[in-house]
Amino acid sequence: MRSDGRQPRDLRPFAVTLHPNKYAEGSVLIEAGDTKVLCTATIDEKVPPFLKGQGKGWITAEYSMLPRATHSRNQREAIKGKLTGRTMEIQRLIGRSLRSVVNLNALGERTITLDCDVLQADGGTRTTSITGAFIALALAIHKLSGNVSFAKYPLTDYLASISVGVIQDQPVVDLNYEEDSRAKVDMNVVMTGARAFVEVQGTGEEAPFTRTELDGMLSLAEEAILQLIQLQKNTLGAAGARIGGVQP
Amino acid sequence: MRSDGRQPRDLRPFAVTLHPNKYAEGSVLIEAGDTKVLCTATIDEKVPPFLKGQGKGWITAEYSMLPRATHSRNQREAIKGKLTGRTMEIQRLIGRSLRSVVNLNALGERTITLDCDVLQADGGTRTTSITGAFIALALAIHKLSGNVSFAKYPLTDYLASISVGVIQDQPVVDLNYEEDSRAKVDMNVVMTGARAFVEVQGTGEEAPFTRTELDGMLSLAEEAILQLIQLQKNTLGAAGARIGGVQP
Amino acid sequence: MRSDGRQPRDLRPFAVTLHPNKYAEGSVLIEAGDTKVLCTATIDEKVPPFLKGQGKGWITAEYSMLPRATHSRNQREAIKGKLTGRTMEIQRLIGRSLRSVVNLNALGERTITLDCDVLQADGGTRTTSITGAFIALALAIHKLSGNVSFAKYPLTDYLASISVGVIQDQPVVDLNYEEDSRAKVDMNVVMTGARAFVEVQGTGEEAPFTRTELDGMLSLAEEAILQLIQLQKNTLGAAGARIGGVQP
Amino acid sequence: MRSDGRQPRDLRPFAVTLHPNKYAEGSVLIEAGDTKVLCTATIDEKVPPFLKGQGKGWITAEYSMLPRATHSRNQREAIKGKLTGRTMEIQRLIGRSLRSVVNLNALGERTITLDCDVLQADGGTRTTSITGAFIALALAIHKLSGNVSFAKYPLTDYLASISVGVIQDQPVVDLNYEEDSRAKVDMNVVMTGARAFVEVQGTGEEAPFTRTELDGMLSLAEEAILQLIQLQKNTLGAAGARIGGVQP
Amino acid sequence: MRSDGRQPRDLRPFAVTLHPNKYAEGSVLIEAGDTKVLCTATIDEKVPPFLKGQGKGWITAEYSMLPRATHSRNQREAIKGKLTGRTMEIQRLIGRSLRSVVNLNALGERTITLDCDVLQADGGTRTTSITGAFIALALAIHKLSGNVSFAKYPLTDYLASISVGVIQDQPVVDLNYEEDSRAKVDMNVVMTGARAFVEVQGTGEEAPFTRTELDGMLSLAEEAILQLIQLQKNTLGAAGARIGGVQP
Amino acid sequence: MRSDGRQPRDLRPFAVTLHPNKYAEGSVLIEAGDTKVLCTATIDEKVPPFLKGQGKGWITAEYSMLPRATHSRNQREAIKGKLTGRTMEIQRLIGRSLRSVVNLNALGERTITLDCDVLQADGGTRTTSITGAFIALALAIHKLSGNVSFAKYPLTDYLASISVGVIQDQPVVDLNYEEDSRAKVDMNVVMTGARAFVEVQGTGEEAPFTRTELDGMLSLAEEAILQLIQLQKNTLGAAGARIGGVQP
């Protein structure tokens, strides 16, 4: 049923390369099959105007695809002169998701910007960006903790994301581009290490879905995200040791 | 627990005024408590370039808030020179939701644009827009069916939407602005008359949510949407008679 | 001669609904026949940069039409990414007109923004906006005078506006859209309660006009504006009592 | 009373230099005192989309000030990325005024664009632009008539424009910048050779004006415009011979 | 070989008119054959944010062509809403070139903006702009030196620019538009009075060029620029006396 | 003298990885020391409007840096809403350079777009982009030649580029970022396999340069470019066999 022979619950091969960028405070190249995303974390010692003077920090994200990341070339948003609705939606999702596991008070008045640039796209670019950006964020906060003594560690939990869908009435996980095109439902799930949902976004534009299908997809997503969080833990090693330390 | 004394499963008073606009092919003023949205449907006898020559139609939506629809005045997007990410997200959601109950082939090469302009906002503007826009769309297609003989009626089902959330660990439905601000989860659900989900969008930025909470919210949403669809049926009367006629 | 049977000097039915918006400091829905404009006044306790520190206030206006306010749908300016010349001209006219009856020194360092949103257009939207915006402004200043003790009341006079034109060599007042399309001259007049002109804008693009025609139009406009100012007085009642109090 | 010793009815010295530009179909440098405007007319053998296939022509205008045309430098609109409301208003006024003396059917399917670039500004730039642009337009149509045989000559009359105002209760004509700043009323008048009004735009932002003041200003404007039209006739000579030939 | 009968090393007639603008701190109209550029220098007593508080000044330039400066009319950049790449390149070049002969520390915390507006273009507009802008800059600094006592004079040398190219295998200088169109190489050179190169920009898009051709062009350019600098000296007279005074 | 111990004539280590992108018609990852650029070539079977119907092709380029390609993060141009002057200059340079070795008539009516995205920047990004883009272009044309039978091969020669500068009076080649910051001259040279210059761009903003220094830099550049062209030949192997075949 799946074009690459996977079982419904099988993830594609995931690969994580640490530190591909020599300047960023945290950086990672994450690959999910042929989807490749370069994630960098930049720490800035100030916050946006709406947070000034409150002692709190901020996490924000930007997302972009290289013009030839896809089958046919897309015009650059810099040339269009504006972001598409899709890009805005995705970068708002990434930022919101990451903030859910950051104690902004503990972070202090600084902003961490996560840049997710898709070098090659084969489905799941937004969920892969979240999973990769979390690692870049963790690296940056770990590095920061070498200079700043945090009473409470700003990262409260692990966080990863995966896509699920329904193909031929069968819920499947981690769809590639070809599967995505023929799935009748498209759902993205973001979850923490404590198995709590941060985002559940399901869309049945082609065909509405039943509550049973929804339940099936959620179960597949949970299982997959726990595997990805295990991968994050293995990759981060000691750099992740203080994540989710006892928080008030 | 609720600021206006409602029970968790209680909707605010909903009111629908038909034909507030003398030019539009379909129009409706929908009120959900103090939230007021003017929805108009415009039929255009052509389709966007990507659909040209395929014999299919298109449904699209635009959403905007008047500058003083809210407590404090917002700058107009026309003056900023661009749409905010929030606006883009909402109008993409409205268009996608409505398309799920339209047979675009049956509609033929024409575009229907739904304009949802929020005159006053008190929470739930996007879900109220969907519920109202569906009625404007149904009125426009009904009017069109007076001139065009549809072999298959283009509207395949009713469709409505509601917001749900969790306040003090209790799932509640149809949050007003004040409730929305203190809810720990914010979820919007779009469902058809056949009880199938079209969109499920839950966000736990403030605090992640459990699967049990998710189930509780979905049940409240289902119940509320069925009430709204009954309201749509009563309001449309004969103009809705052919909706969901047997489709191939 | 007139499509709706009116005499040349007859106004269309005018209706004013106070407080249609629960958040704005002043708001009014004004109807002139089928032309409907929602006007809100927002008070902001600061002034634009060019006035900072001078102890003076500012009055500004914004104007917009909903996309389907007209026979055929207009593209939103927010989507075009810029205001049209027509919109800019109109909102500059509204702001300039209102400022002529405001003592900006008496107002103090605050800005009042008048938003005029045309819900439905059938000719005369700019003049109706001025007449309605004056009422919203008067309500806002009246409300403000409950909190701020004005030595001099900031509103120095009433102000209203009407359109006049020449149809078949006959000057007529308050043209609807159909009349506007076939008039050879199009003139907008703004006048105060003291019968002084604030704006006289006549355009004979289709055919130039004589001084006699100009005189005829001005006389019709004077008469009509005095009726509209009477309507404003009746509507505002006590809220207008201090307008035009003795000023230095 | 006037800073440069003129009587109320005195124009500043006007000078017209023909053909300052070697490429344009018509060009003129017009000077009114220290106000200097370069006007070029460009003929394009096509019309805007809304006129295509109707056999009619179009006249349009663009207006701009060099950044240092004024006392202090203004930012270029090309750098702001958009036209100001003032510029839009002025170029709409110039185009509308010129069209009133052009028989667009006689012109045929071609567009003439008048570019008015203010090299130095000392009051009256918009009225000087109209007076100068008319000459550039007349030169271009005269040149065109060498190649195209017009059954009816497209120019139906002469056209010029002047500013008037009220200073110390005295109507005066052709205000320079210093006078403009202290005038209580600011009015621009456009008139044809047949003494018919094309535009009357009076603004009393600083202080409203009476009907008597309005009459006084209009009389001064008429007298001045007839002098400017005489100047146009002298300047154009034979190139203006067919203007206002008998039209149907 | 040259369309206007010049020898390869011959400049077109150059003419410089001082003070064409009554407001600017320095202004010049420079003509090179039929190329005419109006250059104004504006002094502003502040610097861009990146220089604030360093005691240094800044020199910047803007360049624009009037729409009908050329054979066929170009759309205004203000209407496009953005500068073209060509304009950006040219104004960056002008600014960079002029800064090379300004001691920014000696200038103190002020900005001088050079506006180069091309009234008519016949080849060499960017090099003519540099040569003219230098004179406007020198006039402005000379005027400033009447009010400000400079320990070191901010202008360290003269500076001019010329274009060179290769036509029919022959290096030629100061190409007009017609020559520019058929030259196989296009090179712009900026040089100081001390014969030092500030910019060398050669482009062989049509056909690459040899080192011998490059040497030939550079020699022609040197000779021409020294002539232009002599013209600058003659034109400035006493206003240029302190240029290049002994600098530390 | 050089921060990484190189001799003045030494290039940094260059590495080329072919086919990093599975969708593009040609792609290459090129590394010059720590500068890394991803170049893709996209073939489109149509040409820009200005070339339509002439039987000729077109080559164009776009250039961008990832936000964290540099020491500190740069704002995305897509968010600014426009390209910077620097980006425009660079992408015009890349396109112009590549076109000099393409026979556009031989290519036929198709466009090849070269996207150069800088993943990490350490000096020389524009010259490295040209050298890499040439390889991507060669791969794309080679692939195209499998489907299209070219009478004349569209690539007429090899092409590469390098930067040179003067540090402490010594010409040096291939400057890294640190060297670039302290060089007094900055020059970029583009040359063909036949040792002909395509672009020579030298800038002495900090200090003008002598003709001797210019000569020294050009010699270093020639030597370096010939090495890079040898690298291109080795890398392309058979895919480059037809480059520069006998052309008319």
Side-chain angles (χ1 to χ4, degrees):
Chain A
M1 181 195 72
R2 305 191 68 168
S3 54
D4 52 5
R6 282 185 286 153
Q7 292 302 308
R9 59 179 1 99
D10 288 353
L11 291 172
R12 290 179 286 181
F14 272 71
V16 176
T17 309
L18 294 185
H19 312 309
N21 176 298
K22 76 170 184 172
Y23 302 120
E25 281 73 37
S27 69
V28 80
L29 173 69
I30 183 164
E31 301 174 65
D34 281 337
T35 291
K36 301 180 188 186
V37 187
L38 185 57
C39 306
T40 59
T42 297
I43 300 178
D44 201 4
E45 292 292 323
K46 61 184 177 201
V47 287
F50 70 92
L51 281 181
K52 222 162 247 175
Q54 302 181 27
K56 293 176 58 172
W58 189 241
I59 305 293
T60 186
E62 295 189 7
Y63 168 96
S64 182
M65 292 214 291
L66 293 198
R68 196 57 197 275
T70 46
H71 282 83
S72 57
R73 188 179 180 274
N74 290 297
Q75 198 189 10
R76 286 174 196 268
E77 291 173 314
I79 290 200
K80 288 184 201 162
K82 58 181 180 185
L83 302 183
T84 62
R86 177 182 178 276
T87 293
M88 285 210 192
E89 237 175 75
I90 293 176
Q91 60 193 26
R92 283 159 56 92
L93 169 67
I94 300 172
R96 213 163 56 220
S97 296
L98 294 174
R99 284 193 296 275
S100 75
V101 290
V102 175
N103 181 331
L104 296 173
N105 289 305
L107 181 59
E109 288 218 0
R110 46 182 67 90
T111 298
I112 306 182
T113 301
L114 281 304
D115 285 293
C116 300
D117 286 89
V118 179
L119 304 186
Q120 192 169 274
D122 190 21
T125 63
R126 78 185 70 186
T127 52
T128 307
S129 292
I130 293 170
T131 304
F134 175 82
I135 306 177
L137 174 64
L139 290 172
I141 290 180
H142 176 68
K143 185 174 180 191
L144 184 63
S145 72
N147 307 317
V148 176
S149 172
F150 289 119
K152 297 172 197 164
Y153 200 69
L155 267 181
T156 62
D157 202 347
Y158 282 82
L159 179 102
S161 177
I162 201 70
S163 74
V164 278
V166 173
I167 300 182
Q168 293 170 18
D169 296 326
Q170 169 71 51
V172 295
V173 76
D174 191 21
L175 291 73
N176 64 24
Y177 177 76
E178 179 275 333
E179 293 175 327
D180 200 36
S181 315
R182 59 192 173 95
K184 80 164 196 176
V185 190
D186 181 20
M187 177 171 268
N188 296 296
V189 179
V190 184
M191 215 176 74
T192 66
R195 287 177 166 242
F197 293 106
V198 169
E199 291 276 341
V200 172
Q201 298 197 340
T203 290
E205 183 175 345
E206 293 310 310
F209 50 96
T210 63
R211 188 130 174 201
T212 307
E213 288 170 325
L214 177 57
D215 284 339
M217 289 188 287
L218 288 171
S219 297
L220 280 185
E222 271 193 71
E223 182 187 321
I225 289 174
L226 293 180
Q227 289 176 54
L228 292 175
I229 286 177
Q230 191 55 52
L231 170 65
Q232 291 176 331
K233 288 181 176 167
N234 297 345
T235 306
L236 284 168
R242 290 183 64 192
I243 294 174
V246 183
Q247 304 279 344
Chain B
M1 181 195 71
R2 304 191 69 167
S3 55
D4 52 6
R6 282 186 285 153
Q7 293 301 308
R9 58 180 0 99
D10 289 352
L11 290 172
R12 289 180 287 181
F14 271 70
V16 176
T17 308
L18 295 186
H19 312 307
N21 177 297
K22 75 168 184 173
Y23 302 120
E25 282 72 38
S27 69
V28 81
L29 173 68
I30 184 164
E31 300 175 67
D34 281 337
T35 290
K36 302 180 189 186
V37 186
L38 185 56
C39 306
T40 58
T42 297
I43 300 179
D44 201 4
E45 293 292 321
K46 62 184 179 202
V47 287
F50 71 91
L51 280 181
K52 225 161 243 175
Q54 302 182 25
K56 293 176 59 173
W58 190 242
I59 305 292
T60 187
E62 295 188 5
Y63 168 96
S64 183
M65 293 215 291
L66 292 197
R68 196 57 197 276
T70 46
H71 282 84
S72 57
R73 186 177 182 276
N74 290 298
Q75 198 188 9
R76 287 175 196 267
E77 290 172 316
I79 291 201
K80 287 183 203 163
K82 59 180 179 185
L83 302 183
T84 62
R86 179 183 176 274
T87 292
M88 285 211 192
E89 236 176 75
I90 294 175
Q91 59 193 25
R92 283 159 57 92
L93 169 66
I94 300 171
R96 212 163 57 218
S97 296
L98 294 174
R99 284 194 296 275
S100 75
V101 289
V102 175
N103 180 332
L104 297 173
N105 289 306
L107 181 59
E109 287 219 0
R110 44 183 67 89
T111 298
I112 305 182
T113 302
L114 281 305
D115 283 294
C116 299
D117 285 273
V118 179
L119 305 185
Q120 192 169 273
D122 190 22
T125 63
R126 78 185 72 187
T127 53
T128 307
S129 292
I130 292 170
T131 304
F134 175 83
I135 306 177
L137 174 64
L139 289 172
I141 289 181
H142 176 68
K143 185 175 180 191
L144 184 64
S145 72
N147 306 317
V148 176
S149 173
F150 289 119
K152 296 172 196 163
Y153 200 70
L155 267 181
T156 62
D157 202 347
Y158 281 83
L159 179 102
S161 175
I162 200 71
S163 74
V164 280
V166 173
I167 300 182
Q168 294 170 18
D169 296 326
Q170 168 71 52
V172 295
V173 76
D174 191 22
L175 291 72
N176 63 25
Y177 176 77
E178 179 275 333
E179 292 175 329
D180 199 37
S181 315
R182 59 193 171 93
K184 82 163 194 176
V185 190
D186 182 19
M187 177 171 268
N188 296 296
V189 179
V190 185
M191 214 177 74
T192 67
R195 287 176 167 243
F197 293 107
V198 170
E199 290 277 340
V200 172
Q201 298 197 339
T203 290
E205 182 174 346
E206 293 311 310
F209 50 97
T210 63
R211 188 129 174 202
T212 307
E213 288 170 326
L214 176 58
D215 285 338
M217 289 188 285
L218 288 171
S219 298
L220 279 184
E222 270 193 71
E223 182 187 320
I225 288 175
L226 293 179
Q227 290 176 54
L228 292 176
I229 285 177
Q230 190 54 53
L231 172 65
Q232 291 175 332
K233 287 181 177 169
N234 297 345
T235 305
L236 283 169
R242 292 182 65 192
I243 294 174
V246 183
Q247 305 278 344
Chain C
M1 182 195 70
R2 304 192 68 168
S3 55
D4 52 5
R6 282 186 284 154
Q7 292 302 308
R9 59 180 358 99
D10 289 352
L11 290 172
R12 289 179 286 180
F14 271 72
V16 175
T17 308
L18 296 185
H19 311 309
N21 178 297
K22 74 170 186 174
Y23 302 120
E25 281 73 37
S27 68
V28 80
L29 174 68
I30 184 164
E31 300 174 66
D34 280 338
T35 291
K36 302 179 189 186
V37 186
L38 185 56
C39 306
T40 59
T42 297
I43 300 178
D44 201 3
E45 294 291 323
K46 63 184 177 201
V47 288
F50 70 92
L51 282 181
K52 225 163 243 175
Q54 302 181 26
K56 293 175 59 173
W58 190 241
I59 306 291
T60 188
E62 296 188 4
Y63 168 96
S64 183
M65 292 213 292
L66 293 198
R68 196 57 197 276
T70 46
H71 282 83
S72 58
R73 186 178 183 275
N74 291 297
Q75 198 188 10
R76 287 174 196 269
E77 290 173 314
I79 290 199
K80 287 183 201 163
K82 59 181 178 185
L83 302 182
T84 62
R86 179 183 177 274
T87 292
M88 285 209 192
E89 238 174 74
I90 294 175
Q91 59 193 24
R92 281 158 57 93
L93 169 66
I94 301 171
R96 213 163 57 218
S97 297
L98 294 173
R99 284 194 297 275
S100 75
V101 290
V102 175
N103 181 331
L104 297 174
N105 289 305
L107 181 59
E109 288 219 359
R110 45 182 68 89
T111 298
I112 306 183
T113 301
L114 281 305
D115 284 293
C116 300
D117 285 273
V118 179
L119 304 186
Q120 193 169 272
D122 190 21
T125 62
R126 79 185 70 186
T127 53
T128 307
S129 292
I130 291 170
T131 304
F134 175 83
I135 307 177
L137 173 63
L139 290 172
I141 289 180
H142 176 68
K143 185 174 181 192
L144 184 63
S145 72
N147 307 318
V148 175
S149 173
F150 289 119
K152 296 171 197 164
Y153 200 69
L155 266 180
T156 62
D157 202 347
Y158 282 83
L159 180 103
S161 177
I162 201 70
S163 74
V164 278
V166 174
I167 300 182
Q168 294 170 18
D169 296 324
Q170 168 71 53
V172 295
V173 76
D174 192 21
L175 290 72
N176 64 25
Y177 176 77
E178 179 276 332
E179 293 175 327
D180 199 37
S181 313
R182 59 193 173 95
K184 83 163 194 176
V185 190
D186 181 21
M187 176 171 269
N188 297 296
V189 179
V190 184
M191 216 177 72
T192 66
R195 286 175 167 247
F197 293 107
V198 170
E199 291 277 340
V200 172
Q201 297 197 340
T203 290
E205 182 174 346
E206 293 310 311
F209 50 97
T210 64
R211 188 127 173 204
T212 308
E213 288 170 327
L214 176 57
D215 284 339
M217 289 188 286
L218 288 171
S219 298
L220 280 184
E222 270 193 71
E223 182 187 321
I225 289 175
L226 293 179
Q227 290 175 53
L228 292 176
I229 286 177
Q230 191 54 53
L231 171 65
Q232 290 175 332
K233 288 181 176 168
N234 297 344
T235 304
L236 282 170
R242 293 183 63 192
I243 294 173
V246 183
Q247 304 278 343
Chain D
M1 181 196 74
R2 304 192 69 167
S3 55
D4 52 5
R6 281 186 286 153
Q7 293 302 308
R9 58 180 0 98
D10 289 353
L11 291 172
R12 290 179 285 180
F14 271 72
V16 175
T17 308
L18 295 185
H19 313 307
N21 176 299
K22 74 169 185 173
Y23 303 120
E25 282 72 37
S27 69
V28 81
L29 174 68
I30 183 164
E31 300 175 65
D34 281 338
T35 290
K36 302 180 188 186
V37 186
L38 186 55
C39 307
T40 58
T42 297
I43 300 178
D44 201 4
E45 294 289 324
K46 61 184 180 200
V47 287
F50 70 93
L51 281 181
K52 225 162 242 177
Q54 302 182 27
K56 294 176 59 173
W58 190 240
I59 305 292
T60 187
E62 295 189 6
Y63 168 96
S64 183
M65 293 213 292
L66 293 198
R68 197 56 198 276
T70 46
H71 283 84
S72 58
R73 186 177 182 276
N74 290 298
Q75 198 189 10
R76 287 174 196 269
E77 291 173 314
I79 290 201
K80 288 183 202 164
K82 59 181 178 185
L83 302 182
T84 62
R86 178 183 176 278
T87 292
M88 285 210 191
E89 237 175 75
I90 293 175
Q91 59 193 24
R92 281 159 57 92
L93 169 66
I94 301 171
R96 213 162 55 219
S97 298
L98 294 174
R99 283 193 297 272
S100 75
V101 290
V102 176
N103 181 331
L104 297 173
N105 289 305
L107 182 60
E109 287 219 358
R110 45 182 68 88
T111 298
I112 306 181
T113 301
L114 281 305
D115 284 293
C116 300
D117 286 90
V118 180
L119 304 186
Q120 193 169 274
D122 189 21
T125 64
R126 77 184 72 185
T127 53
T128 306
S129 291
I130 291 170
T131 303
F134 175 82
I135 306 176
L137 174 63
L139 290 172
I141 289 180
H142 176 68
K143 186 175 181 190
L144 185 63
S145 72
N147 307 317
V148 176
S149 172
F150 289 119
K152 297 173 196 161
Y153 200 69
L155 266 181
T156 62
D157 202 347
Y158 281 83
L159 179 103
S161 176
I162 200 70
S163 74
V164 279
V166 174
I167 299 182
Q168 294 171 20
D169 296 325
Q170 168 71 52
V172 294
V173 75
D174 191 21
L175 292 71
N176 63 26
Y177 176 77
E178 179 275 332
E179 293 175 328
D180 199 38
S181 314
R182 60 194 172 94
K184 82 163 195 176
V185 190
D186 182 19
M187 176 171 269
N188 295 298
V189 180
V190 184
M191 213 177 75
T192 66
R195 287 177 167 244
F197 293 107
V198 170
E199 291 278 338
V200 173
Q201 298 197 341
T203 289
E205 182 174 347
E206 292 311 310
F209 51 97
T210 64
R211 189 129 173 204
T212 306
E213 288 170 327
L214 177 57
D215 284 338
M217 288 188 286
L218 289 171
S219 297
L220 280 185
E222 270 193 72
E223 182 186 321
I225 288 174
L226 293 180
Q227 290 176 55
L228 292 176
I229 285 177
Q230 191 54 53
L231 172 65
Q232 290 175 332
K233 286 181 177 168
N234 297 345
T235 306
L236 283 170
R242 292 183 65 192
I243 294 175
V246 183
Q247 303 279 343
Chain E
M1 181 194 74
R2 303 192 69 167
S3 55
D4 52 5
R6 282 186 285 152
Q7 293 301 308
R9 59 179 0 97
D10 288 353
L11 290 173
R12 289 179 287 180
F14 271 72
V16 176
T17 309
L18 295 186
H19 313 308
N21 177 297
K22 75 170 185 172
Y23 303 120
E25 281 72 38
S27 69
V28 81
L29 173 69
I30 183 165
E31 301 175 66
D34 281 336
T35 290
K36 301 179 188 187
V37 186
L38 186 56
C39 306
T40 59
T42 297
I43 300 179
D44 201 4
E45 293 290 323
K46 60 185 179 201
V47 287
F50 71 92
L51 280 181
K52 223 162 244 177
Q54 301 181 27
K56 292 176 60 173
W58 189 240
I59 305 291
T60 187
E62 296 189 6
Y63 168 95
S64 183
M65 293 214 291
L66 293 199
R68 197 57 198 275
T70 45
H71 282 84
S72 57
R73 185 177 183 275
N74 290 298
Q75 199 189 10
R76 285 175 197 269
E77 290 173 315
I79 290 201
K80 287 183 203 164
K82 58 181 179 185
L83 302 182
T84 62
R86 179 183 176 275
T87 292
M88 285 210 191
E89 237 174 76
I90 293 175
Q91 61 193 23
R92 282 158 58 92
L93 169 66
I94 301 171
R96 211 162 57 218
S97 295
L98 293 174
R99 284 194 296 274
S100 75
V101 290
V102 176
N103 180 331
L104 297 173
N105 289 305
L107 181 59
E109 287 220 359
R110 44 182 69 91
T111 298
I112 305 183
T113 302
L114 281 305
D115 284 293
C116 300
D117 285 90
V118 179
L119 305 186
Q120 193 169 273
D122 189 22
T125 63
R126 79 185 70 187
T127 53
T128 307
S129 293
I130 291 170
T131 303
F134 175 83
I135 306 177
L137 174 64
L139 291 171
I141 289 180
H142 176 68
K143 185 174 181 191
L144 184 63
S145 72
N147 308 316
V148 176
S149 173
F150 289 120
K152 296 172 197 163
Y153 200 69
L155 267 180
T156 62
D157 202 347
Y158 282 83
L159 180 101
S161 176
I162 200 71
S163 73
V164 278
V166 173
I167 300 181
Q168 294 170 19
D169 296 326
Q170 167 73 51
V172 294
V173 76
D174 191 22
L175 291 71
N176 64 25
Y177 177 76
E178 179 274 332
E179 293 175 327
D180 199 38
S181 314
R182 60 193 171 94
K184 81 164 197 178
V185 189
D186 181 20
M187 175 170 270
N188 296 295
V189 178
V190 185
M191 214 176 74
T192 67
R195 288 178 167 242
F197 293 107
V198 169
E199 290 278 338
V200 173
Q201 298 197 341
T203 289
E205 182 174 346
E206 294 310 310
F209 51 98
T210 63
R211 188 128 174 203
T212 307
E213 288 169 327
L214 177 56
D215 284 339
M217 290 188 286
L218 289 171
S219 297
L220 279 184
E222 270 193 73
E223 182 187 320
I225 288 175
L226 293 179
Q227 290 175 55
L228 293 176
I229 286 176
Q230 190 56 51
L231 171 65
Q232 290 175 333
K233 287 181 176 168
N234 296 344
T235 305
L236 283 169
R242 294 183 64 194
I243 294 174
V246 183
Q247 304 280 344
Chain F
M1 182 195 71
R2 303 192 69 168
S3 55
D4 52 6
R6 282 185 286 153
Q7 292 302 308
R9 59 180 359 99
D10 288 353
L11 290 173
R12 290 179 285 181
F14 271 70
V16 176
T17 309
L18 295 185
H19 313 307
N21 178 298
K22 75 170 184 172
Y23 303 120
E25 281 73 37
S27 70
V28 81
L29 174 68
I30 184 165
E31 300 174 67
D34 281 338
T35 290
K36 302 180 188 186
V37 187
L38 186 55
C39 306
T40 59
T42 297
I43 300 178
D44 202 3
E45 293 291 322
K46 61 184 178 203
V47 287
F50 70 93
L51 280 182
K52 226 163 241 176
Q54 302 181 25
K56 293 175 59 174
W58 190 241
I59 305 292
T60 187
E62 295 189 4
Y63 168 95
S64 182
M65 293 213 292
L66 292 198
R68 196 58 196 276
T70 46
H71 282 84
S72 58
R73 188 178 181 274
N74 290 298
Q75 199 189 8
R76 287 174 196 267
E77 290 174 314
I79 290 200
K80 287 183 201 163
K82 59 181 178 184
L83 302 183
T84 62
R86 178 183 176 275
T87 292
M88 285 208 192
E89 239 175 72
I90 293 175
Q91 59 193 25
R92 283 159 57 91
L93 169 66
I94 301 172
R96 212 162 57 219
S97 297
L98 294 174
R99 284 195 296 275
S100 75
V101 289
V102 175
N103 181 332
L104 297 174
N105 289 305
L107 181 59
E109 287 219 359
R110 44 182 68 90
T111 298
I112 306 183
T113 302
L114 281 305
D115 284 293
C116 300
D117 285 273
V118 178
L119 305 185
Q120 193 169 273
D122 190 21
T125 63
R126 77 185 71 185
T127 52
T128 307
S129 292
I130 292 170
T131 304
F134 176 82
I135 306 177
L137 174 63
L139 290 172
I141 289 181
H142 176 69
K143 185 175 181 192
L144 183 64
S145 72
N147 307 317
V148 176
S149 173
F150 289 118
K152 296 171 197 164
Y153 200 70
L155 268 180
T156 62
D157 202 347
Y158 281 83
L159 180 103
S161 177
I162 201 69
S163 74
V164 279
V166 174
I167 300 181
Q168 293 170 19
D169 296 325
Q170 167 72 52
V172 295
V173 77
D174 191 22
L175 290 71
N176 64 25
Y177 175 77
E178 180 274 333
E179 292 175 328
D180 199 38
S181 314
R182 61 194 172 93
K184 83 163 193 176
V185 190
D186 182 19
M187 177 171 268
N188 296 296
V189 179
V190 184
M191 215 177 73
T192 66
R195 286 177 168 244
F197 293 107
V198 169
E199 292 276 341
V200 172
Q201 298 197 340
T203 290
E205 182 174 348
E206 293 311 310
F209 50 98
T210 63
R211 188 128 173 204
T212 308
E213 287 169 329
L214 178 57
D215 285 338
M217 289 188 286
L218 289 171
S219 298
L220 279 185
E222 271 193 72
E223 181 187 322
I225 288 175
L226 294 179
Q227 290 176 54
L228 292 176
I229 285 177
Q230 190 55 52
L231 171 65
Q232 290 175 332
K233 287 181 177 168
N234 297 345
T235 305
L236 283 169
R242 293 183 63 193
I243 294 174
V246 183
Q247 303 280 341

